[in-house]
Amino acid sequence: MQELLFEFISKYITLNEEEKNVLLSLDLFRSVKKGTTLLNEGQNSKDSYFVLKGCIRTYYIKGGEEKTTAFFTEMEALTPPCVTSQTPSEYYVSCEEDAILLISNSDTGEEVNLKFPKFEIMCRKFSEELLAKERINFDEFKTSSPEQRYLNLIQKRPDLIQRVPQHQLASYLGITPVSLSRLRARIIVNNKN
Amino acid sequence: MQELLFEFISKYITLNEEEKNVLLSLDLFRSVKKGTTLLNEGQNSKDSYFVLKGCIRTYYIKGGEEKTTAFFTEMEALTPPCVTSQTPSEYYVSCEEDAILLISNSDTGEEVNLKFPKFEIMCRKFSEELLAKERINFDEFKTSSPEQRYLNLIQKRPDLIQRVPQHQLASYLGITPVSLSRLRARIIVNNKN
DNA sequence: TTCTTTTCTTATCTTTAGATAACGAATGTA
DNA sequence: TACATTCGTTATCTAAAGATAAGAAAAGAA
């Protein structure tokens, strides 16, 4: 697991042994059981999540309905808005598979960044990259129909379709579960012709 | 204009006079006429944009149709994916109003960041903030109907509805111009009852 | 195992978005 | 000014999504 993390970090900065040890000494690795709620609506957390293994999910409850908006799997990171805006969380974060996460508190994170400018650089590059990706994703979402979005998802994140229940995928695709089921049936029929 | 910039920066870091002068010496301010294309599809640019005044817009051309995906107005920033990924741009960036932009090259940007860690910190905070906002936006988009998205836009960015042609707003909302026109009519009728 | 809950599908009906065309209004240009 | 282009609305038709209900299959718990 540590190796995975360092390999990931090496895409942004080069760490020496000492720096690696500093990072490990922070003791950020956590095993989390499937079904665990990491963040509740209304809660005021300072924790960010980096997924080393498993899958976590963000969802809102609107009109009594769960609205899933994102999944974070291996090597993906989530800093909930409540962390930076210091307001109660609008959504839930739950663990969808037994997972190994790196959970870091924003206060200690800031400290580390101050002591090790390298980490600051890494964080900057990483968030710039995530922002660019997020915008592209959003662009694709806006310019596609539900069916295209589903087909696109099959291409881009085939694993998600296997590891996540369909009704969660549905709201992730911006549609209802019933609609996704129909749409899938339609695709199969059309492919036969 | 410089004052506006420094005021914005002060939300993230504190600059002394010397640092302000360094920033100004980079000579990044540009006046851009309405209608100017800042970035073409297929182009390999290294420029990022920060809007001090005016409005710029990103759009794709898909099947001969313009698909507008984003607007950037006062104090908003755009680093096109081609800048960081070093691949040809997938979209266009055009100037929708006479504007004053801060246009910075990613190479010189990196240099400045190296010399002034403060800028690095600012960039990190700024992109983290933008990422959080972008995700919230995307979440709201996914969990709303076209009509709710339009009403939401009226609340959140009332200026856009005034300053941008409706057919561009439409694809920004993920729908066709005809559909937006209809939806607006529907809202008016429903409000009368 | 049995029972319950969750998940997915299918069907019906209603609502709304997409495609296309036609029209008037506004805008820009010669 | 006259002309052309762009822009927004409206109407028609089609296709697909939302709401709701019902049922089967799968998963989880007692």
Side-chain angles (χ1 to χ4, degrees), chain A residues 68 71 150 153 160-162 164-175 180:
Chain A
T68 297
F71 298 99
Y150 177 69
L153 190 67
L160 265 196
I161 298 185
Q162 303 306 324
V164 155
Q166 206 165 291
H167 66 281
Q168 292 178 4
L169 272 186
S171 48
Y172 181 66
L173 291 169
I175 56 178
L180 176 55

Side-chain angles (χ1 to χ4, degrees), chain B residues 75-101:
Chain B
M75 303 304 129
E76 297 186 325
L78 167 63
T79 298
C82 66
V83 174
T84 29
S85 70
Q86 314 221 29
T87 55
S89 180
E90 305 261 326
Y91 60 60
Y92 299 80
V93 178
S94 73
C95 183
E96 298 300 312
E97 296 172 359
D98 290 349
I100 298 171
L101 307 177

Side-chain angles (χ1 to χ4, degrees), chain B residues 140 144 147-157:
Chain B
E140 281 177 349
S144 318
E147 188 170 321
Q148 289 172 321
R149 295 201 289 259
Y150 176 70
L151 294 170
N152 191 36
L153 190 67
I154 294 178
Q155 297 298 318
K156 297 248 171 115
R157 299 185 71 176

